[in-house]
Amino acid sequence: MAAGNTRSRRRIEQVEAMRRGLPAAGPGLTVAETLTTALRQAIADLRGLGGFVHWRDPGSGRLRLVAASGLAPQIADAWADLHQDADVAPARALRSAAFVWVAGDSMGIGASGTAAVPLPGTGGRVGALSVLTAGPGAPDPAQRSLLGAVAAWTAGHLEQRPHTPSGPASAPDGSPRLDLPGEEVPCVVEIRHWEYDAVTGSLTLTQPVVDMSGESPRASGENADLGWYLSGIVDLPAFTADVRTALDNGRAYDTEYRVRHSDGTSGWVRARGHIVPGENGTPARMVGTLWSPAHPQAAYDPLVAALRDMGDGFLAVSDDWRITFVNKEAERLLGPGRTLLGSRLWDIPAGRAPGLEAQCRRASAERKPIGFVLRRPGDRRVHHVRLVPLPGGGLTIYFADVTEEQPGGPERTARMSELTAALSEAVTSSDVVKAVAAHVLPPFGADGLVVNALEGGWLHVVGAVGYTEEFLRQIDGISVTSHMAIAETFRTRTPGFIESPAEYVRRFPKFGNFVAASAKKAWVFLPLIASGYTIGCCVVSFSQQRSFSEEERTLLIALSGLIAQALERARLYDVEHTRAQELQRGLLPRTLPSLPAARAAARYMPAGRGEEVGGDWYDLIPLSGDRVAIVIGDVMGHGIAEAAIMGQLRTAVRALTDLELGPDELLSHLSELVSALGDDQFATCAYAVFDPVTRTCSLSLAGHLPPAIVHPDGTVHCPDLTGDPPLGAAGPPFERHELHLPEESLLVFCTDGLVESATRDIDQGLAQLRQTLGRAVAQTSYFASDTRHGDTRRLDDLCDVIVSALLPDRGQTNDDAVLLVAHTWGTPADDVASCSLPDDPRAAGQAREYVRSQLDVWGLDDLAMTTELLVSELVGNVIRHASGPIRLRLLRSRSLICEVYDGSLTSPRIRRAGYTDEGGRGLHLVAALSQRWGTRHLDEGKCIWTEQDLPPAH
């Protein structure tokens, strides 16, 4: 009740403010200015689509149309001459001397009804003021009072005119005299009808309704020469010639001409005509109508003041969408007039409000007024906008704040504001679909949503709500041309509204099965247009048949603009995100190998903010003799460039490991590579080699964190190792550290992104890592035998536990991170056999005998002959080309490994032997008999090794 009283008081205040704001009665305003001001005020107060004024002729009992606003000439022409007994709003208001509202869209422009009040005069009622209303239902009492006040003001001004009769007007000489000065504001006012005779070539006029020249009509016969009545037409010869040309060409006539007024100023008049055929069917006459100013011009000061001081916003745009006039309220909402005038409507921020451009172009194309509700992003206020096309081109735009008057307005506005906020925070296409489902479907009572993306003429479902998976599979990936409803939406770039299944089938007969499968009863097809391109379609559906009001249609159109912008942004993110993920997957190991001495699991966590690619990497590389190389590194920074450098470093490490270099030598070569990339490029790296026979781990650190070692009893040990500067920051040598590991252990490597953040220093992070490892190992055994046989699920679980503990909110991280957990174990003593050999030719025979004996113990007699040949060749090479001491070692693993050690640093090389050469074929034999073979250098010599596959039984 309090809110209702507040609104009533506000309405009363508006009436009083309007009365004070209108110019005082007196001879200062011309009749044209008086009627124009009255119509503008009345239409704005009732938020109507248009209005008109009729003058009463008591002698004939007819109402003559003397002024109209917001109506195209062909529409106003139907109301030009009414009988006072007609059952229409103006006549009923005149007869009843009271406010009248007649429901219905009598002119076909989307009006809800016609409101009319009589124009009071001292001698009786002299006419009627009418407004075509747009809102639901009849105007409220306050609006009626406003309309009555405007009518009283209008009648008072007209009776002050010296040429306006104080009583009811008589026609034609008693018609109100309309002075039309130059630079008139737009107002459609009928002047008179004209006729061109093809036989005589003369132009004549019927009796005038209003004299456009500013002179009182002279007494005359029924017809008179056009040149006498319209001597003010500057382009009269051209006017006559154009009419003759149009008649000869058999086409309608519609153009504009300049008019010279009695005060020396100029204006414009619009002439429209059509052909009337003669008895033989040939064009005989052209008849038409003259209308007053068709171009928006600047009015005299009193009229400009009335427009500028209106409580509602008002602006005018030309046919090329440039702003030509703004009032004070428009300036308050849009910005200073000096910056707006001359600007294109779409170039100012407010002009880019979702749905506004589409509605403006629609009003301009259909040439009829349009009213709708506008919600601007970031603004909780709701404005009712009315677009009125001008006969000569351009639009007038009215907007009023109706936030408090909307049914459920505050709630719906809040929901739309929530949608805007949700869409602004949506990162992926899935986020956009969730935001639309949460904030668009409930306000409209919808229960179905499909967001389609257009890709090369095909529709792909981005996300959906309220449909079965089977139905979505049917419509996903179909061509645009096969879905006629969406195809029509794309073709017209306008939304489609279907209110029932019957209407759907009537419009698209081939889609009966589609309608039945969807289980929906009403649909809205919203084109998603962003940056001038159609990027998809949003389909909102309902389980019940329903109609859509103009307000709902306007709101959905506006929402489609918001959704399109958010979807375009999200799709770009999705593409970049997918590319980043593909790049990262291509640069990092897809899987880690299962090796005889180690199993590993790893996690790569991209940065939660910014680019989702970085320079962190890891690898697990098999070496000769069942040894394992473990590498982890971090190129400083994160992004595409850092990822590219990381790919180069990982490839370089892979190549250098084939040379069987020690950790310190490998990092020296790697540092040179980083230095060659540029002075500002740096990377940290830890490279470790685990030997399962000796259970030693040799590693070197280039600015990187040492690993944490977890013992089988749950003890977590972090060795205190001195690290060298990062790669690219210092040259060799790098220090090599030797760690002796237990029979089984976990080596936990990580980059600084896992343990260091803005809220936690690196020491705190390492302490938390140790605590997490201790608790996890105490609760679950990670040294079970299944891990040795390739099952890494326990290690994967441990990685998840560590990541969850150290990075609980990965979306807020600023750096990428890597975690690598390797389970290592030593080679059993029973699987290793070695012996020393003399440095003389007897060594080959002793080596063959030792091989036969050991393979017999291991049950590998099938490999004895091949292994004897390999050992003979390797030992023979040492005797001939190297030096002692000589040692032979056999390893039984997944393969049979033979290693021959000597004290020489010379590496054997395969060479092509000639037909007459006595040597040079031994290494060819080795390569042919073994699966793999190679050489690795040691501190005091080298090792030549071979590998052979074990028989299937082993």
Side-chain angles (χ1 to χ4, degrees):
M1 181 64 73
N5 293 336
T6 301
R7 284 195 293 269
S8 298
R9 287 196 300 271
R10 185 161 56 248
R11 287 293 194 185
I12 295 172
E13 292 170 357
Q14 289 177 355
V15 173
E16 295 303 321
M18 185 277 295
R19 286 172 173 160
R20 293 193 299 269
L22 289 171
L29 293 179
T30 65
V31 174
E33 294 167 351
T34 300
L35 295 179
T36 298
T37 303
L39 283 172
R40 299 297 186 199
Q41 187 68 48
I43 295 170
D45 290 338
L46 270 66
R47 298 191 181 91
L49 301 177
F52 40 84
V53 177
H54 285 86
W55 202 258
R56 178 171 174 263
D57 177 8
S60 62
R62 307 196 70 79
L63 294 175
R64 312 286 187 179
L65 179 65
V66 294
S69 178
L71 304 176
Q74 60 268 32
I75 297 177
D77 195 31
W79 292 72
D81 191 4
L82 304 174
H83 196 278
Q84 65 181 6
D85 293 331
D87 189 21
V88 292
R92 289 173 59 178
L94 195 67
R95 294 196 304 269
S96 63
F99 171 86
V100 170
W101 185 73
V102 177
D105 186 12
S106 58
M107 293 189 178
I109 63 172
S112 61
T114 306
V117 292
L119 295 176
T122 56
R125 297 179 293 280
V126 297
L129 170 64
S130 307
V131 175
L132 298 174
T133 59
D140 57 36
Q143 289 177 318
R144 298 180 187 181
S145 178
L146 286 168
L147 191 60
V150 173
W153 176 88
T154 305
H157 264 268
L158 293 178
E159 291 193 338
Q160 292 292 331
R161 295 288 299 166
H163 297 288
T164 303
S166 59
S170 60
D173 296 338
S175 297
R177 172 174 174 271
L178 295 187
D179 294 325
L180 299 179
E183 300 182 345
E184 185 78 84
V185 295
C187 180
V188 181
V189 181
E190 185 178 357
I191 305 303
R192 64 187 73 197
H193 300 282
W194 55 268
E195 180 178 325
Y196 173 76
D197 192 319
V199 178
T200 63
S202 62
L203 276 167
T204 56
L205 288 176
T206 59
Q207 292 183 356
V209 178
V210 178
D211 183 6
M212 64 169 289
S213 66
E215 305 294 339
S216 298
R218 303 183 183 181
S220 63
E222 185 68 18
N223 297 311
D225 184 74
L226 180 68
W228 185 84
Y229 273 109
L230 299 179
S231 59
I233 294 184
V234 178
D235 302 320
L236 184 58
F239 174 62
T240 306
D242 288 347
V243 172
R244 289 195 185 103
T245 301
L247 184 69
D248 293 340
N249 294 333
R251 56 179 173 80
Y253 179 69
D254 186 354
T255 190
E256 300 166 2
Y257 295 94
R258 290 174 296 157
V259 177
R260 184 184 300 111
H261 302 299
S262 58
D263 60 358
T265 60
S266 297
W268 289 84
V269 64
R270 188 168 197 169
R272 301 165 59 90
H274 63 276
I275 297 174
V276 178
E279 295 180 358
N280 58 0
T282 60
R285 295 178 299 145
M286 177 172 280
V287 297
T289 308
L290 290 175
W291 300 80
S292 70
H295 285 280
Q297 309 285 343
Y300 282 169
D301 290 343
L303 191 54
V304 172
L307 289 174
R308 284 193 60 81
D309 294 334
M310 277 198 332
D312 296 334
F314 170 80
L315 60 91
V317 296
S318 59
D319 53 2
D320 61 351
W321 307 107
R322 296 194 180 277
I323 299 173
T324 58
F325 180 86
V326 289
N327 71 352
K328 292 180 179 179
E329 179 64 12
E331 288 186 89
R332 187 184 69 82
L333 294 173
L334 307 180
R338 63 179 180 274
T339 63
L340 298 175
L341 294 177
S343 301
R344 283 171 53 87
L345 182 59
W346 326 125
D347 293 339
I348 64 175
R352 294 190 288 270
L356 178 60
E357 180 176 357
Q359 294 285 22
C360 288
R361 294 189 184 277
R362 173 188 164 197
S364 178
E366 297 179 0
R367 305 305 303 164
K368 67 178 184 180
I370 292 178
F372 60 95
V373 174
L374 180 68
R375 293 175 171 85
R376 294 190 298 170
D379 187 359
R380 289 182 174 269
R381 309 304 296 174
V382 181
H383 290 85
H384 181 271
V385 179
R386 189 167 60 88
L387 309 175
V388 180
L390 300 175
L395 289 175
T396 55
I397 304 174
Y398 304 80
F399 44 92
D401 192 330
V402 294
T403 305
E404 305 302 330
E405 301 177 14
Q406 294 293 300
E411 179 182 357
R412 177 167 291 184
T413 300
R415 282 186 175 272
M416 294 306 101
S417 297
E418 292 172 1
L419 171 64
T420 303
L423 290 178
S424 66
E425 296 175 357
V427 176
T428 66
S429 299
S430 177
D431 295 338
V432 173
V433 174
K434 292 177 182 177
V436 175
H439 300 285
V440 174
L441 301 190
F444 293 94
D447 56 8
L449 172 70
V450 178
V451 178
N452 296 288
L454 179 62
E455 297 178 358
W458 302 88
L459 293 172
H460 296 279
V461 177
V462 175
V465 173
Y467 289 93
T468 63
E469 290 294 331
E470 180 181 358
F471 177 79
L472 294 177
R473 282 194 297 269
Q474 294 177 5
I475 65 174
D476 188 22
I478 65 174
S479 65
V480 174
T481 55
S482 64
H483 197 306
M484 298 305 298
I486 295 181
E488 180 176 321
T489 299
F490 285 169
R491 179 179 59 81
T492 61
R493 304 188 74 174
T494 57
F497 297 89
I498 300 180
E499 300 181 348
S500 66
E503 180 185 355
Y504 203 129
V505 176
R506 177 178 56 80
R507 293 174 58 181
F508 309 105
K510 297 181 180 180
F511 278 77
N513 294 334
F514 170 84
V515 173
S518 70
K520 303 299 180 184
K521 301 300 177 60
W523 299 263
V524 178
F525 295 90
L526 300 173
L528 302 180
I529 302 173
S531 302
Y533 297 95
T534 303
I535 64 171
C537 181
C538 178
V539 183
V540 180
S541 54
F542 305 79
S543 294
Q544 301 296 327
Q545 299 183 24
R546 60 160 298 174
S547 59
F548 303 94
S549 66
E550 184 68 24
E551 178 191 351
E552 289 176 324
R553 293 173 183 241
T554 301
L555 183 56
L556 286 168
I557 292 173
L559 293 179
S560 69
L562 294 174
I563 298 170
Q565 294 171 12
L567 183 63
E568 180 188 38
R569 184 178 63 250
R571 297 273 298 167
L572 290 174
Y573 173 84
D574 289 342
V575 170
E576 293 301 322
H577 180 67
T578 301
R579 289 176 180 171
Q581 289 183 325
E582 291 176 352
L583 174 63
Q584 198 74 59
R585 283 195 297 266
L587 295 176
L588 293 175
R590 293 185 179 273
T591 59
L592 292 175
S594 176
L595 304 177
R599 303 286 188 278
R603 293 290 184 272
Y604 173 80
M605 286 72 65
R609 297 175 179 174
E611 299 183 67
E612 293 199 1
V613 291
D616 290 16
W617 90 95
Y618 59 91
D619 215 340
L620 189 72
I621 306 171
L623 300 177
S624 62
D626 275 355
R627 295 173 309 127
V628 180
I630 304 171
V631 59
I632 186 170
D634 179 6
V635 178
M636 294 186 182
H638 60 277
I640 299 296
E642 286 73 12
I645 294 174
M646 175 266 284
Q648 297 180 61
L649 296 182
R650 179 169 176 257
T651 302
V653 170
R654 278 272 176 175
L656 292 172
T657 55
D658 285 343
L659 300 178
E660 300 277 4
L661 300 177
D664 51 341
E665 291 182 83
L666 187 140
L667 290 188
S668 297
H669 289 290
L670 210 58
S671 183
E672 292 176 1
L673 174 60
V674 174
S675 298
L677 296 175
D679 295 337
D680 57 344
Q681 299 295 341
F682 304 100
T684 66
C685 184
Y687 184 83
V689 175
F690 172 67
D691 188 339
V693 176
T694 61
R695 300 204 308 272
T696 58
C697 180
S698 302
L699 76 157
S700 295
L701 305 173
H704 205 87
L705 298 172
I709 303 173
V710 181
H711 294 254
D713 60 0
T715 304
V716 180
H717 172 58
C718 291
D720 185 12
L721 304 178
T722 303
D724 292 296
L727 302 176
F734 286 87
E735 185 174 357
R736 178 162 58 178
H737 306 278
E738 299 287 342
L739 301 176
H740 188 73
L741 301 182
E743 181 66 28
E744 288 189 67
S745 64
L746 296 181
L747 296 179
V748 181
F749 293 83
C750 68
T751 58
D752 58 354
L754 181 70
V755 294
E756 186 178 27
S757 67
T759 59
R760 180 182 60 198
D761 62 36
I762 194 166
D763 292 332
Q764 292 174 329
L766 290 173
Q768 186 176 357
L769 174 62
R770 288 193 296 270
Q771 295 172 3
T772 303
L773 287 170
R775 287 194 299 267
V777 173
Q779 296 173 0
T780 305
S781 174
Y782 294 96
F783 298 94
S785 60
D786 56 357
T787 305
R788 292 194 179 191
H789 294 86
D791 190 351
T792 61
R793 287 178 295 179
R794 293 175 185 267
L795 297 180
D796 286 323
D797 293 341
L798 179 59
C799 288
D800 293 337
V801 169
I802 296 172
V803 171
S804 298
L806 274 74
L807 296 178
D809 189 4
R810 272 184 271 176
Q812 302 301 316
T813 58
N814 296 314
D815 193 10
D816 50 344
V818 161
L819 171 67
L820 175 64
V821 179
H823 179 196
T824 64
W825 53 86
T827 302
D830 293 343
D831 291 336
V832 181
S834 66
C835 69
S836 297
L837 298 174
D839 189 8
D840 57 45
R842 294 176 303 165
Q846 294 180 11
R848 288 193 296 270
E849 182 179 353
Y850 185 79
V851 166
R852 283 195 303 271
S853 173
Q854 187 60 46
L855 294 185
D856 181 61
V857 173
W858 285 343
L860 298 175
D861 295 323
D862 293 342
L863 296 179
M865 181 177 296
T866 304
T867 308
E868 286 182 38
L869 287 174
L870 290 173
V871 168
S872 293
E873 287 297 330
L874 296 180
V875 173
N877 270 333
V878 172
I879 297 300
R880 178 175 297 183
H881 302 291
S883 61
I886 305 174
R887 186 166 60 92
L888 170 65
R889 187 171 75 169
L890 300 177
L891 299 178
R892 182 179 61 173
S893 181
R894 292 181 183 175
S895 60
L896 178 61
I897 303 171
C898 298
E899 298 176 335
V900 175
Y901 296 82
D902 63 61
S904 173
L905 297 177
T906 304
S907 296
R909 292 178 295 136
I910 293 181
R911 63 182 178 86
R912 184 179 296 276
Y915 290 108
T916 60
D917 292 343
E918 295 183 359
R921 297 178 179 83
L923 292 180
H924 286 280
L925 182 62
V926 170
L929 295 177
S930 63
Q931 186 69 25
R932 291 197 311 151
W933 76 280
T935 303
R936 68 173 179 268
H937 289 274
L938 308 173
D939 294 337
E940 299 177 352
K942 69 176 182 295
C943 170
I944 305 175
W945 55 269
T946 64
E947 287 187 13
Q948 302 173 76
D949 290 337
L950 296 180
H954 293 267

